[in-house]
Amino acid sequence: MVAEASDWAVDVNDLTVAYREKPVLWDIDLQVPSGVLMAIVGPNGAGKTTMIKAILNLVSPTAGRVHVFGKPYAQQRRLVAYVPQRGSVDWDFPTHVLDVVMMGRYGALGWTRRPGRREREQAMEAIRKVGMEDFVTRQISQLSGGQQQRVFLARALVQDAQVYLMDEPFQGVDAKTERAIIELLQELRSAGKTVLVVHHDLQTVPEYFDWVTLLNVRRIASGPVDEVFTEENLRTAYGGRVPFESHRKVEEA
Amino acid sequence: MLHDLFFDYTLRTVALGSGLLGLVSGALGTFAVLRRQSLLGDTVSHTALPGIALAFLVTGTKTPLLFLLGAALAGWLGTLLVMGVTRTTRLKSDSAFGIVLSVFFGFGLVLLTFIQKQPNSRQAGLEKFLFGQATALLAGDVLVMAVVGSLLLLTVVIFFKEFKLAAFDHDYGVSLGFPMRAIDILLTSTLVVAVVLGLQTVGVVLMSALIVAPPAAARQWTDRLGRMIWLAAAFGAAAGIAGAVISSTTSRLPTGPVIVLCASGLVLISLAFAPNRGLLWRWARQLRNRRRLMVDAVLLDLLELADQHGDPRHPHRLETLQAMSLRPSSVTGTLADLNARGWVRAEGADGWILTPEGGREARRRREALGGRP
């Protein structure tokens, strides 16, 4: 598949991030085609979260550039939605589910305009999509981990973006919620959206995703799961200690 | 006392000024408390001291407006320094707050001592900024407070959405395209101005209490940000007015510390009595839960005994139930509860049996808990 640069949903070039002298990400090149559901995997400290944050310019890279659909990210912000790690906010904040989900419309609203009836309806639709309609006015600390994760997901859904960057959306989530979330992500893909997910469970990669990036400071490999998710690549990424019997899974794939 | 509040000029001015101050600092303090930057108020007020001293040294006059300007500049510089230190060094924000606070405050004290050692006596009165002197408030000061305070509250109303985003999820705000650093600086600046407004009344040492206490009390009563801001403003105003009135009843009772004590009293009451979050409520809820669990436990024990015995009408002794229970001392009370509901009744000397209704209830509960029906 030969594609023009502008065809890539996300196009990362020479991205390097260093905290002090230590590089966290080194010279990352990453081309993600439009309409894939991609896992970002790698051992702890591989720079998965940092990569998501660098793409969003939440950490400033030492070098490199990020394009979204052919234009610099700064011009394409509207097309990108972000689902941060659940632990990144204070869940005891005095607010409820609907209020948090409506934050997804703040960018479109712009300065000083308050969310109104339309934003409320859009938020309610997203809340129904993630199955949280029974908790609309529940204070957010009164939710389980999986419910909090679904609130974050709904907040990203109301942004109506083209590209979704998700940092560990399955963390602290029970098996049933995990299924519900992955079905939602697959729906997004069917609707032509591009979804990048920081993922921890190697077992489920072939089942859930069609595209994968293996990361360990450098980009080890990136491409379709059945081509790239090989034992050799996993060994390179995880330093020979692959945390599951990879051969079985890879043969299946 | 109430009569004085309306007809005594001095008391009216002091009460109005203190009330306004509490209102503004309570409303703006809400964001500082929610962002876990309670030390911010402390830092701003302490870093303002060298600003006041320098304003006097440079101009040689004691114009209140110049003092406020110097205080605001120094306070603002101090906070920017804290933001810079946290961003560029490994220091966590609490250490950064602590360092900046003590360096500036120390410098301010040095300047103050230096000024006081000067031969002329023009310096008299500068030390009132340490603990405040609310009784010196004039109608003009109160007018300045009212105008500046209204501007601050208006800023919060206009940028409510942006401030909420900054307090709840800063990074997400960046990803939405908002210049969050500018919003941070605006939010912090409103707090700096609010603190400076209070320096003359409450002083640098106690001002931070007025920033932290009203929101901390308000958080106990509501789960909505908007209501929390209004409630904090109301608590702050109440503390300000009450403090002014109480201190006027006794001579030489300083107003600032009394205001702070009133605010602290509101915090204590809120911590203890607020519904849901208050200690008393939580304690009551725990007690209720424990009683409910005991009801379940004794009911299921009796059902178990009846099942084992084969005869539901055979009475079981209190001692048997106590031996089966994790909290033997509560069994008697629980049996009385169950008896009142008609689920058990006494039989014979000290025996107990399930009523038919109690038997059905016990089976229903056992099934709900995952046991056999």
Side-chain angles (χ1 to χ4, degrees):
Chain A
M1 178 169 64
V2 180
E4 291 289 312
S6 61
D7 284 348
W8 302 118
V10 179
D11 182 10
V12 177
N13 279 291
D14 307 327
L15 186 72
T16 298
V17 178
Y19 293 144
R20 269 153 242 291
E21 300 87 43
K22 198 172 162 247
V24 183
L25 289 175
W26 186 258
D27 204 18
I28 304 282
D29 283 302
L30 182 67
Q31 279 79 37
V32 186
S34 176
V36 300
L37 177 49
M38 183 179 99
I40 301 168
V41 297
N44 287 333
K48 304 182 291 284
T49 295
T50 306
M51 188 168 84
I52 294 260
K53 287 192 168 175
I55 291 175
L56 291 162
N57 208 18
L58 292 174
V59 299
S60 356
T62 317
R65 57 187 184 83
V66 176
H67 282 208
V68 173
F69 291 112
K71 288 190 192 141
Y73 164 72
Q75 296 170 26
Q76 304 279 64
R77 272 214 165 97
R78 281 292 154 71
L79 302 181
V80 183
Y82 172 44
V83 177
Q85 274 186 30
R86 187 161 56 86
S88 66
V89 303
D90 170 19
W91 288 95
D92 197 35
F93 196 85
T95 185
H96 57 49
V97 170
L98 178 65
D99 206 37
V100 173
V101 176
M102 276 198 292
M103 285 181 189
R105 297 307 303 165
Y106 282 11
L109 279 169
W111 283 96
T112 71
R113 271 176 58 209
R114 300 282 188 94
R117 177 187 298 236
R118 221 184 82 202
E119 283 70 31
R120 186 180 293 266
E121 276 163 14
Q122 287 164 328
M124 282 306 298
E125 196 189 319
I127 288 171
R128 276 192 289 274
K129 256 187 211 157
V130 300
M132 288 288 289
E133 57 270 36
D134 292 339
F135 303 94
V136 174
T137 55
R138 178 77 66 96
Q139 208 273 323
I140 54 173
S141 66
Q142 310 288 320
L143 302 171
S144 71
Q147 290 169 334
Q148 290 174 343
Q149 200 71 67
R150 282 188 276 164
V151 171
F152 264 7
L153 215 57
R155 184 175 72 168
L157 289 180
V158 294
Q159 283 183 251
D160 196 23
Q162 292 301 313
V163 177
Y164 291 81
L165 302 181
M166 305 191 177
D167 201 347
E168 301 203 25
F170 301 115
Q171 189 211 29
V173 157
D174 61 85
K176 201 173 132 225
T177 310
E178 181 165 325
R179 279 243 66 91
I181 292 178
I182 195 67
E183 272 166 26
L184 210 69
L185 302 191
Q186 285 162 349
E187 252 172 61
L188 283 175
R189 177 182 54 192
S190 312
K193 317 282 187 184
T194 311
V195 186
L196 279 60
V197 180
V198 171
H199 193 54
H200 253 141
D201 183 10
L202 291 178
Q203 305 260 17
T204 50
V205 168
E207 183 191 347
Y208 289 172
F209 300 94
D210 55 4
W211 209 268
V212 67
T213 290
L214 288 104
L215 193 72
N216 190 354
V217 183
R218 297 160 186 274
R219 194 207 73 183
I220 307 300
S222 179
V225 170
D226 43 14
E227 286 173 26
V228 169
F229 200 62
T230 62
E231 190 174 352
E232 191 195 341
N233 280 337
L234 282 167
R235 227 175 261 294
T236 317
Y238 286 84
R241 296 182 307 277
V242 180
F244 81 113
E245 320 95 281
S246 58
H247 54 276
R248 191 173 51 82
K249 279 284 163 192
V250 173
E251 275 162 16
E252 269 177 28
Chain B
M1 210 159 78
L2 258 181
H3 179 270
D4 284 353
L5 188 58
F6 291 105
F7 296 104
D8 180 312
Y9 173 80
T10 312
L11 178 57
R12 200 174 55 200
T13 311
V14 173
L16 205 58
S18 309
L20 270 172
L21 177 64
L23 186 134
V24 173
S25 54
L28 291 166
T30 303
F31 289 103
V33 167
L34 288 177
R35 298 166 90 200
R36 301 183 184 260
Q37 292 188 334
S38 304
L39 271 173
L40 186 61
D42 246 328
T43 307
V44 174
S45 60
H46 283 78
T47 51
L49 190 63
I52 295 168
L54 278 176
F56 175 76
L57 276 176
V58 171
T59 65
T61 58
K62 285 202 296 181
T63 324
L65 219 58
L66 267 175
F67 284 160
L68 292 192
L69 203 67
L73 275 177
W76 203 59
L77 194 73
T79 15
L80 287 187
L81 209 60
V82 170
M83 285 179 169
V85 167
T86 4
R87 209 171 44 239
T88 53
T89 70
R90 278 163 192 273
L91 290 177
K92 300 261 180 288
S93 65
D94 56 343
S95 328
F97 278 127
I99 291 166
V100 172
L101 181 156
S102 33
V103 167
F104 273 64
F105 189 59
F107 183 50
L109 285 179
V110 168
L111 287 178
L112 218 57
T113 319
F114 173 72
I115 291 170
Q116 278 166 343
K117 288 246 170 76
Q118 294 209 311
N120 59 36
S121 58
R122 289 177 305 141
Q123 82 280 3
L126 265 190
E127 68 282 351
K128 79 173 180 204
F129 282 102
L130 275 179
F131 296 106
Q133 197 174 39
T135 43
L137 275 178
L138 301 172
D141 299 328
V142 176
L143 190 68
V144 170
M145 279 185 179
V147 172
V148 177
S150 307
L151 286 177
L152 292 178
L153 293 179
L154 194 68
T155 311
V156 172
V157 171
I158 291 175
F159 295 107
F160 181 71
K161 172 171 117 256
E162 285 76 12
F163 285 176
K164 187 190 334 186
L165 205 53
F168 179 63
D169 199 345
H170 183 274
D171 277 4
Y172 185 69
V174 176
S175 85
L176 289 177
F178 286 100
M180 294 310 284
R181 195 171 294 169
I183 293 174
D184 273 350
I185 291 176
L186 180 65
L187 184 51
T188 308
S189 304
T190 58
L191 194 77
V192 171
V193 177
V195 168
V196 168
L197 268 189
L199 290 184
Q200 198 192 343
T201 313
V202 184
V204 298
V205 180
L206 290 177
M207 185 54 208
S208 67
L210 271 194
I211 295 285
V212 177
R219 179 67 187 93
Q220 293 291 107
W221 301 90
T222 176
D223 276 333
R224 302 299 312 274
L225 178 60
R227 274 178 222 158
M228 183 178 164
I229 293 174
W230 287 116
L231 212 54
F235 283 163
I241 294 171
V245 171
I246 292 171
S247 70
S248 77
T249 57
T250 314
S251 68
R252 304 180 63 87
L253 198 58
T255 311
V258 177
I259 294 175
V260 169
L261 281 180
C262 288
S264 313
L266 282 172
V267 172
L268 279 180
I269 292 170
S270 305
L271 283 178
F273 300 112
N276 296 323
R277 296 176 75 95
L279 288 175
L280 219 64
W281 274 70
R282 274 196 254 172
W283 186 63
R285 198 161 47 213
Q286 216 172 3
L287 215 66
R288 214 165 44 231
N289 280 343
R290 188 181 294 161
R291 268 178 84 160
R292 219 190 42 226
L293 289 177
M294 274 304 288
V295 163
D296 274 3
V298 173
L299 210 55
L300 293 195
D301 284 349
L302 268 170
L303 182 62
E304 205 63 40
L305 287 171
D307 282 355
Q308 279 173 16
H309 209 270
D311 175 15
R313 272 170 308 180
H314 181 86
H316 298 280
R317 290 162 57 85
L318 176 65
E319 286 77 11
T320 319
L321 288 167
Q322 280 174 336
M324 292 171 81
S325 175
L326 288 171
R327 297 177 62 87
S329 56
S330 318
V331 171
T332 316
T334 309
L335 281 169
D337 276 0
L338 288 167
N339 191 23
R341 294 191 213 192
W343 289 344
V344 303
R345 62 185 159 80
E347 179 92 3
D350 60 347
W352 291 88
I353 60 170
L354 286 167
T355 62
E357 197 189 329
R360 276 193 298 277
E361 185 64 29
R363 274 175 218 287
R364 204 181 56 73
R365 291 193 184 201
R366 185 164 65 185
E367 201 178 354
L369 287 169
R372 62 181 190 280

